[in-house]
Amino acid sequence: CLSRGLGDVYKRQVLQVLAIATHPVFLPIFSLLVYAPLVAYHGPSIKILAAIWVAFVYLILPLIFLKVVRKVDFNTPGLEGRKSIYKTYTINNAGFIAVNIFVFSEYVSFFIGFFFLHLLLWFLIFIELKASWHAAAWSFLVFAGLLILYRYQMAGLDMKVFAAFVILLLVCATRYFQKAHSLFELGMGVAVGAITSSIILFF
């Protein structure tokens, strides 16, 4: 019984680490899986500055606002907590669209798509439908990668898209076994990501 209990604790810890490591707030970093070839011509200095700026504005500031001001529990956010999260990142992505017109124009379509992803998740919460944010983000990246591959036919990009797909499966399994989402909620998340990624075709 003791060994089984320790095994359950270890399993929960592993699942929690995986959930944190694949969290949607890190998606601008994970996007380099498929976007790195598009921004390869930028010098290292602008990439370092962009990474610092993204970490501060996309990750640190929203998390401080949501945790300190809105008192959102990221482990188990209720409907109101999810409304705050999606509203914050909808506004945040709108800002990133404007800035990247002048900095990384290749990323404009990414943030337009991600803007609509959070807007759709926000709408679903208002009608009390909970879709998996994790699944939506990784589905978005997979389908965005497929669209970029279709448009540019870049060598080696197919394997990176496949890696993102494997991570999507891992994310869905992790969130299911954590009992964070039902299969329906995970499916809704995948659908949201797939639908909003299609915007990339038009930019």
Side-chain angles (χ1 to χ4, degrees), residues 23-151:
H23 201 281
V25 297
F26 301 121
L27 199 67
I29 297 169
F30 298 140
S31 71
L32 291 173
L33 262 175
V34 296
Y35 272 82
L38 298 182
V39 296
Y41 68 91
H42 288 287
S45 58
I46 192 170
K47 289 178 183 176
I48 292 170
L49 287 173
I52 294 171
W53 179 68
V54 167
F56 182 67
V57 180
Y58 203 89
L59 181 60
I60 297 172
L61 281 183
L63 289 182
I64 290 174
F65 171 75
L66 290 166
K67 293 283 284 186
V68 176
V69 179
R70 302 298 298 174
K71 310 293 185 187
V72 174
D73 180 3
F74 272 85
N75 290 327
T76 54
L79 291 181
E80 290 304 316
R82 287 179 181 274
K83 285 179 185 177
S84 294
I85 290 170
Y86 300 146
K87 179 181 179 181
T88 299
Y89 275 97
T90 298
I91 295 169
N92 201 327
N93 281 293
F96 270 76
I97 293 167
V99 171
N100 277 291
I101 291 173
F102 306 101
V103 184
F104 284 96
S105 59
E106 302 84 0
Y107 262 98
V108 171
S109 61
F110 174 87
F111 284 108
I112 291 174
F114 222 41
F115 167 85
F116 281 104
L117 180 144
H118 286 93
L119 192 63
L120 183 51
L121 289 174
W122 189 15
F123 169 76
L124 290 173
I125 283 297
F126 269 101
I127 59 175
E128 298 189 359
L129 285 175
K130 186 176 76 168
S132 169
W133 189 21
H134 277 74
W138 280 97
S139 171
F140 179 91
L141 186 56
V142 169
F143 283 94
L146 288 172
L147 293 173
I148 293 169
L149 182 62
Y150 168 77
R151 178 179 287 184

